[in-house]
Amino acid sequence: MTDPETLSVTIVDGYVDEPAHFGVPPYISTYPRYAAGALVDAGVPRDQITYHTIDRLRDQPDYWRDVDEADLMIYLGGMTVPGKYVGGTPAEPEEVRKLAWTANGTSLMGGPVKFGVGEENAGATETERQDLDFDFVAKGDVEAAVHDLVDSGLEGFNNRMRDLDEVSRWAQEGAFIVEQHPNHPTHLICELETSRGCAYRCSFCTEPLYGNPEFRPPPTVVGEVDALSDYGVKHFRIGRQADILAYGGDGEAPNPDALRQLYSGIREVAPDLETLHLDNMNPITIVNWPERSREGIRIIAEHNTPGDTAAFGLESADPVVQEENNLNVTAEECFEAVRIVNEAAGWRPGEDPADAPTFGDGAPRRLPKLLPGINLLHGLKGEREETYERNRAFLQRVYDEGYMLRRINIRQVMAFDGTDMSDTGAEIANDHKQLFKRYKKRVREEIDNPMLERVAPPGTVLPDVHLEYHQDGTTFGRQLGTYPLLVGVPGERELGRTIDVAVVDHGYRSVTGVPYPLDLNAASMNELTAIPGIGDSTAGDIVVNRPYESIADADLGTAFDLSQFVTTRSLESAD
């Protein structure tokens, strides 16, 4: 029997993306942290546990020796709602097989990959369950399998689900693993689990496969944040739950007291946190319990950081699709939920929350505290051409009636065994691919662009934008958080830095910004011409007539208030 104290273990993170769980960098999911905690709890010393992301293995092949030489190699991954990613690229099936072939020790695979694997990580695909040549596949909770496999001397385990005591213990004991993530400490956001499972049974969703909701008590989540903070984490996302408003209750009705304990507790143990965001919020909860929901939403907005998003799973505004797929909210009900979140949390720092929702010239130039996002899913049973127009009309109504959406997520279904969509598969999605493309383009042009300008008008300041990559002479970056805006800054700047940015223009799902405040005595031509009201001629005059003692000294004569963007520094301090 293998002694746990002698084991060398390598964890490989292939990333996850589930209906209620992010794990593609800059996010780190719960899986590697829980697995590390389970290993320690089973007796494996911390210094014998190695963690790698799949991107690190791609970029630095020497690290494959850790896969080869480990007594136990654990792969964690699985995409059930794939999207487009900037910070990392999820492992493809052939890469996962290579891990199994490379490992000379025992190999274990787990996470949402247990639900199925397609030919690629993409929408409009069908999946099947595969072992990808691993010795063991955890069909229950992978962290429980990790613990029991080590406890058995690597002989085997029973597929089981972990209990609340175990996950609370493992979450804290595994916090140390974040120090081995390539993004640690400055550009890493930890996904926090408050519950899993769902009270509803939508046809396409894998979350009900975890059963009915089971909630972690507030002190256990707060204790995990405390432990992660000790290892330098300052960014957190309460994303691992089907409905944040139902936290701590019966799985359906809101429990504002539990939310207050959770959020105030996090703020108490991590007073210097820089990001506190969430993800899923069920609109039917808001409609069925409007006053309790308003209270819960206000509590969240009081404690979170700006730019937060509550994802609403409308999925379809078509009543035929709603009926055939057991969707739990109508378009009218979802609209009411959009209105309530806007009114309860659509205020911006520096103004009275009672004024929400605010936008336009008089609004402070910061992102609102919390806004809804809309998820729309295509390829569901009963979908027809009219479905696309109903979805577009719903979005247009939200805009026309003066409300805000932080983002609109449009995707095609993946069909997994165990869900009602497994019988239909990707047939409808594939039949409607051209219709889907035309509709998506129209939404981006007619809804996304003006909505984004409403949410983040020119002059809006986005603090701490992390610069990630260059493209066509522009540097792109994002803040840490839930569905952060992609920001393009003119010029090629040093990557890996963090700067404050002021928004100057809008795309469909991204914005153009300039460093904030921009120094008139040092700004480039590209930066100056990006500012509203400054063309090539004015920018040239600014450069020729430097330096300036003040903005007024520049006498630019623009109709736009340039103080929202620029300042003047002395020549000695300008760079």
Side-chain angles (χ1 to χ4, degrees):
M1 180 170 174
T2 306
D3 184 353
E5 291 190 357
T6 68
L7 278 180
S8 64
V9 183
T10 295
I11 299 171
V12 177
D13 190 348
Y15 313 141
V16 303
D17 192 351
E18 299 183 84
H21 206 174
F22 280 1
V24 181
Y27 304 94
I28 181 172
S29 74
T30 64
Y31 291 110
R33 290 152 32 210
Y34 291 2
L39 288 167
V40 171
D41 197 36
V44 180
R46 288 183 180 183
D47 60 5
Q48 290 169 209
I49 303 172
T50 300
Y51 168 79
H52 292 309
T53 64
I54 190 66
D55 281 309
R56 175 183 275 161
L57 295 182
R58 292 175 182 132
D59 297 340
Q60 303 177 62
D62 286 350
Y63 282 122
W64 279 88
R65 69 176 180 270
D66 293 329
V67 176
D68 175 22
E69 298 173 358
D71 298 315
L72 173 61
M73 190 277 291
I74 302 165
Y75 170 75
L76 305 168
M79 317 298 291
T80 60
V81 283
K84 294 182 178 179
Y85 309 103
V86 174
T89 303
E92 294 288 351
E94 286 308 307
E95 291 181 301
V96 183
R97 282 195 178 90
K98 181 182 175 182
L99 288 167
W101 297 338
T102 302
N104 276 318
T106 302
S107 60
L108 167 67
M109 178 175 72
V113 68
K114 69 184 180 183
F115 295 130
V117 179
E119 293 183 1
E120 60 178 337
N121 296 320
T125 58
E126 298 177 12
T127 66
E128 61 178 348
R129 289 186 168 98
Q130 300 181 38
D131 64 14
L132 298 176
D133 297 328
F134 275 70
D135 296 326
F136 295 101
V137 178
K139 297 176 182 176
D141 281 326
V142 65
E143 54 268 35
V146 165
H147 177 273
D148 295 353
L149 183 60
V150 170
D151 196 51
S152 74
L154 302 186
E155 295 297 323
F157 55 86
N158 293 319
N159 287 302
R160 68 176 181 90
M161 310 302 279
R162 88 279 162 116
D163 61 38
L164 279 176
D165 287 341
E166 286 176 324
V167 71
S168 298
R169 188 167 66 248
W170 297 342
Q172 294 190 43
E173 291 182 345
F176 74 94
I177 208 72
V178 298
E179 291 191 313
Q180 298 186 45
H181 195 287
N183 288 34
H184 182 272
T186 58
H187 192 53
L188 185 66
I189 181 166
C190 284
E191 191 83 332
L192 300 175
E193 174 188 328
T194 65
S195 70
R196 62 178 186 175
C198 186
Y200 303 98
R201 298 293 183 267
C202 300
S203 69
F204 60 90
C205 188
T206 56
E207 191 61 24
L209 300 180
Y210 289 104
N212 290 323
E214 181 181 52
F215 300 98
R216 294 176 61 196
T220 69
V221 183
V222 171
E224 180 182 4
V225 171
D226 196 10
L228 290 165
S229 296
D230 289 343
Y231 288 101
V233 176
K234 293 184 179 293
H235 305 275
F236 303 93
R237 198 185 89 114
I238 306 172
R240 183 67 180 101
Q241 70 277 314
D243 181 8
I244 186 63
L245 287 180
Y247 173 66
D250 61 4
E252 297 184 41
N255 186 344
D257 289 340
L259 285 171
R260 187 175 290 107
Q261 290 179 54
L262 175 67
Y263 273 86
S264 63
I266 289 173
R267 281 293 193 172
E268 183 175 349
V269 300
D272 299 323
L273 66 79
E274 296 176 12
T275 304
L276 181 57
H277 279 188
L278 60 87
D279 192 355
N280 293 295
M281 184 180 290
N282 198 330
I284 199 63
T285 305
I286 300 172
V287 173
N288 288 342
W289 295 276
E291 292 311 311
R292 288 163 69 179
S293 294
R294 279 182 184 271
E295 183 181 357
I297 293 165
R298 290 190 188 107
I299 290 167
I300 293 168
E302 177 186 349
H303 292 90
N304 71 352
T305 52
D308 202 356
T309 306
F312 281 3
L314 171 60
E315 315 305 351
S316 180
D318 185 344
V320 172
V321 177
Q322 292 164 6
E323 176 69 23
E324 291 200 28
N325 294 274
N326 201 31
L327 305 183
N328 61 51
V329 64
T330 67
E332 190 62 38
E333 289 169 334
C334 190
F335 182 85
E336 177 66 8
V338 166
R339 181 182 68 81
I340 289 173
V341 173
N342 269 259
E343 293 174 353
W347 53 277
R348 303 169 190 260
E351 67 182 358
D352 188 339
D355 293 336
T358 56
F359 52 87
D361 292 339
R365 286 315 194 244
R366 291 291 302 277
L367 290 176
K369 290 301 292 292
L370 176 68
L371 292 176
I374 297 294
N375 295 337
L376 294 170
L377 184 60
H378 288 273
L380 295 173
K381 292 181 291 184
E383 182 176 282
R384 50 200 175 140
E385 189 166 349
E386 183 180 338
T387 304
Y388 292 83
E389 179 53 33
R390 283 180 175 271
N391 287 351
R392 192 206 61 79
F394 170 83
L395 299 172
Q396 188 67 56
R397 180 188 176 193
V398 172
Y399 182 82
D400 290 346
E401 297 203 20
Y403 298 111
M404 293 181 285
L405 299 174
R406 173 56 193 83
R407 72 96 175 88
I408 302 164
N409 187 21
I410 302 172
R411 61 187 178 88
Q412 289 184 294
V413 70
M414 293 183 76
F416 288 90
D417 287 345
T419 69
D420 289 346
M421 275 300 297
S422 62
D423 293 334
T424 305
E427 180 181 347
I428 296 173
N430 286 319
D431 287 346
H432 291 175
K433 279 214 171 205
Q434 293 306 312
L435 180 60
F436 177 78
K437 288 179 181 179
R438 293 194 300 271
Y439 145 85
K440 190 172 182 179
K441 182 175 185 291
R442 186 179 178 190
V443 170
R444 297 302 182 221
E445 293 174 349
E446 297 180 3
I447 309 295
D448 272 312
N449 183 262
M451 183 67 78
L452 185 53
E453 186 166 359
R454 177 177 289 178
V455 172
T460 298
V461 176
L462 306 176
D464 301 322
V465 173
H466 185 86
L467 304 180
E468 296 180 277
Y469 66 96
H470 298 136
Q471 183 176 312
D472 300 329
T474 298
T475 303
F476 288 89
R478 298 173 298 171
Q479 296 174 296
L480 285 176
T482 297
Y483 311 110
L485 282 172
L486 183 63
V487 183
V489 181
E492 293 196 352
R493 298 175 174 273
E494 179 184 351
L495 301 181
R497 294 179 55 219
T498 297
I499 64 172
D500 295 347
V501 169
V503 175
V504 295
D505 200 3
H506 305 81
Y508 299 151
R509 306 189 76 190
S510 63
V511 297
T512 300
V514 294
Y516 176 83
L518 187 65
D519 181 11
L520 279 182
N521 290 328
S524 69
M525 285 285 290
N526 284 341
E527 290 169 339
L528 291 169
T529 55
I531 297 174
I534 297 183
D536 289 341
S537 176
T538 303
D541 290 342
I542 291 172
V543 171
V544 168
N545 295 316
R546 290 171 178 166
Y548 305 101
E549 293 294 328
S550 66
I551 298 173
D553 185 37
D555 191 25
L556 300 177
T558 58
F560 204 87
D561 180 10
L562 291 181
S563 65
Q564 296 181 56
F565 304 99
V566 300
T567 188
T568 54
R569 299 189 181 97
S570 67
L571 273 178
E572 289 77 11
S573 63
D575 49 54

